[in-house]
Amino acid sequence: MTAVTLAAPGAALRYAPPIEAELDHLAATLGAVPALAERYPLRWLAVQLLEGDEQLLAEAESLGGPAVTAALAASRERLAPHYGEDLDVALVDQRYRFVHALAGQALTRPAAPPLTLSDRIDQVVTHRWLGIPIFLALMWVVFKITTDVTAPFVDWIDATLSGPVSGWVAALLSAAGLGGSWVEALLVDGVIAGVGGVLVFVPVLLALYFALALLEDSGYMARAAFVMDRLMHALGLHGKSFLPMIVGFGCSVPAIYATRTLDSRRDRILTGLLVPFMSCSARLPVYVLIAAIFFPAHAGLVIFALYLTGIAVAIVIGMLLRRTLFRKQPPAPFVLELPPYRLPTLRGVWRQMWERTAAFVRKATTIILATSIVVWLLLAVPVRGEGRFADTPVEQSAFAAVAGAAAPIFAPLGFGAWETSGALLTGFVAKEVVVSTLGQTYAVAAAEEEAVTPTTFGEDLLGIAGGLVSATGEALRALPGVVGITLEAPEEETAPEGLAAAVQAGFEASSGGHGALAALAFLVFVLLYTPCMTAVAAARHEFGSRWMWVSIVGQFVVAWLVALLVFQGGRLLGG
Amino acid sequence: MSTPALPLALAGEGATVRLVAIQGGQRTAHRLAELGLTPGVTVTVLRDNGGALLVAVGDTRLALSYGLAQMVLVTGEELRDA
Amino acid sequence: MRELTIALAGNPNVGKSTVFNALTGLHQHVGNWPGKTVERKEGRLILGAHQITVVDLPGTYSLAARSLEEQIARDFIVRERPDAVVNVLDAANLERNLYLTAQLLEAEARLVLALNMADVAAARGLRLNPEALAAALGAPVVVMTASKGQGLAELKAALRDLVAASGRRAAAATLKEVAR
């Protein structure tokens, strides 16, 4: 009712007389239905019905009955000679005429409109030949920022949690008389490890959101979509999906969050389902270890082939999904506004980084903490032998029992032993732990358990601060690498003594003498199944539980089938 | 005025044309109209990358896939004197 | 004291979230619209004695409700009837942005127009005449460059006037109730 008292004598939007006449008719009919008159401005409702709003039509018909249906049909019939099928476009058009007149009063244009800066930038950025190289160069920078520049901070967080923080907890517990108990093991190996699993992603996500905010706020993202549209069309996706794919080579978690830049839910989900096939950096140590053991002469080639396999699988699955699950949802017609280029503001960029990363921490912590504790419990509970709770050899734990029960699933793939299925099980939580689990399950004494020298709280704080300073230094040194200059030789990863022989023997045994093939199948499996628990949490956060399960099950089935193809196919070919 | 209408997708880079009508799904026509692609409006094709167009409509810059540009009918008359 | 609600509406890419952040500062809450996957941002603005809830509606080109975002924006404006709608526009693309304004007017929303990114418009040689627009629409019009904090005080002043008017109206309504 307040609207009436306000009623400033503003410009009223009047449509062409035939439409106005019908609006009056309709408003009168609608006004006779008290429920509608209470809920909506009547003239507005009449306009929406003529414009073909299905949701409001259903509501008006259910509240107003046949009278509304009849009145609307009659109005449409009377208007048909004037506008034919295009009544709704005519309404839009007439609204634009009103707007045009308004803008004419409110705006004076320069006599000779200058070529805007934005248009001039676009002449380069959307250029037929320059557009794609510029885009790829920017994507390379984003990729390097989310990996190389953040790596020192990730290591710092990891070191802080597993060193001083775990030490403090242990000290506090022993002060409380619980030193060395299962409570300490649960807190250190379960809870702190779980929280660490979330926190190590914080620098990665801050970096990603920094890059995304720059790309979005500057207006470039829309140009990227235009430039890459043609290439991505083959996957049933738009150009905008390219960015999450690239980010996926660093880490699936920010890649899944990067799908948020896509416009339709269909595109977000389809991209989110394909992103995990891009081989993330956490899988690399597994490749390096296994390839060094079985293919010492061709390790590089094997690893490169794995990356290509991931891309190929994504392309095939993308085309399959487009024809099956997403058959009824064709890609949304691609029309996209290209906003003028703008200089992003520091405050805006910071706010986005902070808000989005905080949202991840809030949503992911629960699920990851829970999984981490479950895995710890499995490792802690003895099912055979003399071990006590939280003090049992791995092979006698519930973990070994579960892994053993799952092992037959992998028998056709050539690696149906509990040691490997155990590694895949923890790999579901995080790919970073696959190598260490292999070390544990093959009962190789962890050689480099560093001797812990007692430190004071003050020393710890100094150490943490010093670590942060040196991490920042390393990150700054990694910055030139962002543009492709490498200042330092990459670190070599070598297999611990004894592990190589044990792994080799294990794979030979489980595959009936086809160890190398089984290892290849294992690598393909690691490449294609669920990247980590955090990625699962991210998928649920972004797409909901249903799609999370589609993603988990789908990736498992794809990984299993492709690994089967590698192992059995290889055997048939006499590998 | 007698120039025959052709799809915007065929107009070619650099062309300035007048929009005549939008064919195809009503939803599509509606959406494009709301973005300013209404009958009578002047459209300049800034870029044609073989899969999508970059067009100027007033102060708006739009990227438009060929699929949509096929539905937008325009007349090829030059508008320099307008 | 009555709790007041204002909504921010506008096209995508018009700096709406910058205006929202400038109005609400750190008093923000991010959630989802009930039953939807679309983000809902809400914040608090204190104007004199009034506590105002500011709701940032999804950026839309129209209120025709063909997409989830449009439906959310439209349902909020038509059904929840916020005390005012701040329509944020790109001053450098005024005509296309005014299309949404026309729809907001049709929906009988109480409008304040914020012509944002005035710096870009000026750089393009566009001369704005906010008085003419205000007179034509019967709604306050503020010219601003939110990213540089320009025009924010004017926007708040316009909202304060609106709130005061709304308070008077509410009092009048109460008086009428009592008289009855």
Side-chain angles (χ1 to χ4, degrees):
Chain A
M1 295 300 111
T2 51
V4 184
T5 38
L6 173 81
L13 167 47
R14 310 296 296 177
Y15 295 97
I19 295 180
E20 282 296 332
E22 298 310 326
L23 287 178
D24 289 345
H25 280 299
L26 277 174
T29 312
L30 295 166
V33 184
L36 286 174
E38 226 164 78
R39 205 176 288 179
Y40 296 111
L42 291 172
R43 178 185 156 89
W44 176 83
L45 183 58
V47 173
Q48 305 310 309
L49 294 184
L50 280 187
E51 210 169 327
D53 188 292
E54 286 158 20
Q55 189 203 344
L56 284 173
L57 177 64
E59 192 179 338
E61 285 185 327
S62 82
L63 289 172
V68 169
T69 316
L72 186 61
S75 288
R76 284 184 173 282
E77 196 164 319
R78 282 191 294 267
L79 288 172
H82 299 277
Y83 303 106
E85 289 287 291
D86 295 333
L87 178 58
D88 64 336
V89 174
L91 286 165
V92 174
D93 185 38
Q94 292 180 22
R95 226 172 264 140
Y96 257 110
R97 282 164 207 257
F98 166 76
V99 160
H100 183 73
L102 263 186
Q105 287 172 279
L107 192 70
T108 321
R109 292 178 176 280
L115 187 62
T116 66
L117 179 63
S118 211
D119 282 337
R120 269 178 284 163
I121 298 174
D122 270 338
Q123 284 180 350
V124 179
V125 165
T126 66
H127 189 269
R128 192 181 269 254
W129 305 120
L130 293 177
I132 290 181
I134 290 174
F135 172 77
L136 290 178
L138 283 171
M139 289 307 103
W140 177 250
V141 171
V142 172
F143 176 64
K144 293 300 254 185
I145 288 178
T146 54
T147 53
D148 291 7
V149 177
T150 61
F153 295 106
V154 172
D155 292 344
W156 172 72
I157 288 176
D158 196 31
T160 303
L161 285 175
S162 61
V165 173
S166 299
W168 296 339
V169 170
L172 280 179
L173 286 172
S174 56
L178 288 165
S181 71
W182 66 269
V183 180
E184 179 185 328
L186 171 64
L187 284 181
V188 171
D189 300 334
V191 176
I192 295 183
V195 171
V198 177
L199 287 186
V200 292
F201 285 105
V202 166
V204 179
L205 286 174
L206 281 175
L208 171 86
Y209 289 138
F210 170 74
L212 284 187
L214 284 185
L215 291 176
E216 280 181 357
D217 289 3
S218 66
Y220 179 74
M221 204 65 108
R223 275 73 184 181
F226 171 73
V227 167
M228 291 307 291
D229 187 61
R230 218 174 147 193
L231 270 178
M232 294 305 285
H233 229 83
L235 294 178
L237 290 169
H238 295 316
K240 272 188 164 183
S241 300
F242 200 81
L243 177 99
M245 297 286 190
I246 286 284
V247 173
F249 283 114
C251 178
S252 304
V253 174
I256 287 170
Y257 284 109
T259 60
R260 208 177 275 181
T261 57
L262 304 177
D263 296 311
S264 80
R265 185 166 159 76
R266 170 207 180 268
D267 294 342
R268 284 195 289 267
I269 293 174
L270 185 50
T271 309
L273 290 178
L274 298 182
V275 151
F277 294 124
M278 302 295 121
S279 183
C280 73
S281 58
R283 287 158 167 153
L284 189 58
V286 187
Y287 305 160
V288 171
L289 174 79
I290 302 286
I293 294 173
F294 288 93
F295 316 99
H298 308 289
L301 189 67
V302 167
I303 293 171
F304 186 63
L306 283 167
Y307 275 84
L308 288 186
T309 307
I311 297 170
V313 167
I315 291 174
V316 171
I317 300 293
M319 293 200 284
L320 275 177
L321 284 175
R322 193 159 55 112
R323 284 175 177 73
T324 54
L325 279 183
F326 294 89
R327 196 183 54 238
K328 294 201 182 93
Q329 297 159 277
F334 171 36
V335 54
L336 187 67
E337 187 188 5
L338 306 187
Y341 287 100
R342 268 194 298 275
L343 209 57
T345 63
L346 209 59
R347 201 192 301 182
V349 170
W350 169 248
R351 202 180 254 276
Q352 288 187 52
M353 285 167 70
W354 178 246
E355 273 175 10
R356 293 176 179 183
T357 308
F360 158 78
V361 172
R362 270 200 307 274
K363 304 248 170 145
T365 305
T366 333
I367 185 167
I368 291 160
L369 201 56
T371 328
S372 176
I373 290 172
V374 166
V375 170
W376 178 85
L377 275 176
L378 286 174
L379 279 163
V381 174
V383 289
R384 284 183 287 120
E386 321 278 78
R388 289 175 303 112
F389 182 65
D391 181 20
T392 186
V394 182
E395 68 273 13
Q396 292 173 3
S397 67
F399 179 77
V402 171
I409 300 172
F410 303 108
L413 316 181
F415 47 91
W418 78 267
E419 290 93 341
T420 39
S421 68
L424 292 176
L425 202 63
T426 56
F428 185 76
V429 180
K431 288 286 164 293
E432 287 87 344
V433 297
V434 169
V435 169
S436 67
T437 307
L438 280 173
Q440 279 179 301
T441 56
Y442 281 109
V444 179
E448 13 92 63
E449 274 292 322
E450 293 133 51
V452 185
T453 35
T455 49
T456 67
F457 187 67
E459 284 168 357
D460 280 347
L461 284 185
L462 274 180
I464 294 173
L468 180 59
V469 170
S470 74
T472 312
E474 280 180 55
L476 289 177
R477 257 175 289 144
L479 272 178
V482 163
V483 285
I485 309 158
T486 312
L487 294 180
E488 283 159 88
E491 287 171 49
E492 290 289 322
E493 301 232 10
T494 46
E497 283 297 307
L499 180 57
V503 168
Q504 190 149 26
F507 273 94
E508 289 293 344
S510 66
S511 61
H514 298 86
L517 259 184
L520 207 56
F522 181 77
L523 287 181
V524 167
F525 195 89
V526 168
L527 162 73
L528 297 175
Y529 87 117
T530 306
C532 65
M533 207 56 223
T534 318
V536 170
R540 196 182 69 156
H541 182 190
E542 289 301 291
F543 315 125
S545 293
R546 195 165 76 91
W547 287 109
M548 174 192 80
W549 284 111
V550 168
S551 176
I552 294 175
V553 174
Q555 283 158 31
F556 190 89
V557 170
V558 169
W560 195 87
L561 287 175
V562 180
L564 182 78
L565 194 71
V566 168
F567 184 65
Q568 300 295 353
R571 275 206 330 176
L572 280 179
L573 294 173
Chain B
M1 280 290 116
S2 60
T3 337
L6 79 162
L8 180 62
L10 300 180
E13 203 165 287
T16 295
V17 292
R18 191 188 293 278
L19 197 152
V20 176
I22 299 174
Q23 292 180 319
Q26 217 35 38
R27 257 183 118 85
T28 312
H30 194 124
R31 163 94 333 151
L32 292 177
E34 286 175 344
L35 285 168
L37 288 170
T38 50
V41 89
T42 302
V43 182
T44 305
V45 181
L46 300 174
R47 275 281 176 234
D48 180 345
N49 74 2
L53 301 180
L54 202 168
V55 300
V57 191
D59 294 314
T60 309
R61 303 288 175 271
L62 295 174
L64 209 62
S65 65
Y66 266 18
L68 279 185
Q70 205 66 39
M71 299 177 187
V72 179
L73 293 185
V74 296
T75 53
E77 66 177 302
E78 290 292 331
L79 294 157
R80 285 199 198 95
D81 45 314
Chain C
M1 167 131 315
R2 202 162 62 95
E3 177 80 15
L4 295 172
T5 306
I6 64 176
L8 288 189
N11 289 183
N13 305 310
V14 297
K16 196 159 58 67
S17 55
T18 315
V19 175
F20 176 73
N21 290 338
L23 281 180
T24 61
L26 296 172
H27 309 280
Q28 295 188 3
H29 173 75
V30 184
N32 276 6
W33 290 89
K36 309 275 166 64
T37 50
V38 179
E39 208 168 69
R40 177 192 166 119
K41 277 182 157 186
E42 206 178 284
R44 290 212 154 255
L45 164 68
I46 302 197
L47 274 187
H50 293 268
Q51 275 231 354
I52 300 174
T53 305
V54 183
V55 180
D56 191 15
L57 297 175
T60 62
Y61 292 109
S62 128
L63 289 185
R66 309 268 165 145
S67 74
L68 195 54
E69 283 79 7
E70 288 171 355
Q71 199 183 328
I72 288 169
R74 187 188 78 186
D75 285 354
F76 191 84
I77 286 162
V78 179
R79 293 204 187 136
E80 307 288 320
R81 300 251 140 195
D83 296 281
V85 175
V86 177
N87 180 195
V88 184
L89 298 90
D90 176 356
N93 193 352
L94 197 58
E95 190 162 329
R96 218 277 317 288
N97 276 254
L98 279 169
Y99 181 80
L100 183 68
T101 311
Q103 288 192 316
L104 289 168
L105 280 177
E106 281 195 295
E108 298 178 12
R110 218 137 63 85
L111 287 182
V112 177
L113 267 63
L115 308 187
N116 195 21
M117 309 204 282
D119 53 343
V120 181
R124 294 195 180 168
L126 302 171
R127 279 221 318 281
L128 298 168
N129 186 347
E131 292 79 17
L133 192 57
L137 294 175
V141 177
V142 178
V143 177
M144 64 191 304
T145 305
S147 61
K148 295 176 184 160
Q150 291 164 1
L152 201 67
E154 289 83 345
L155 178 60
K156 282 187 182 167
L159 287 172
R160 198 174 293 129
D161 291 348
L162 217 61
V163 165
S166 151
R168 276 198 300 280
R169 251 194 324 280
T174 322
L175 277 181
K176 246 185 265 170
E177 290 283 311
V178 171
R180 222 182 279 165

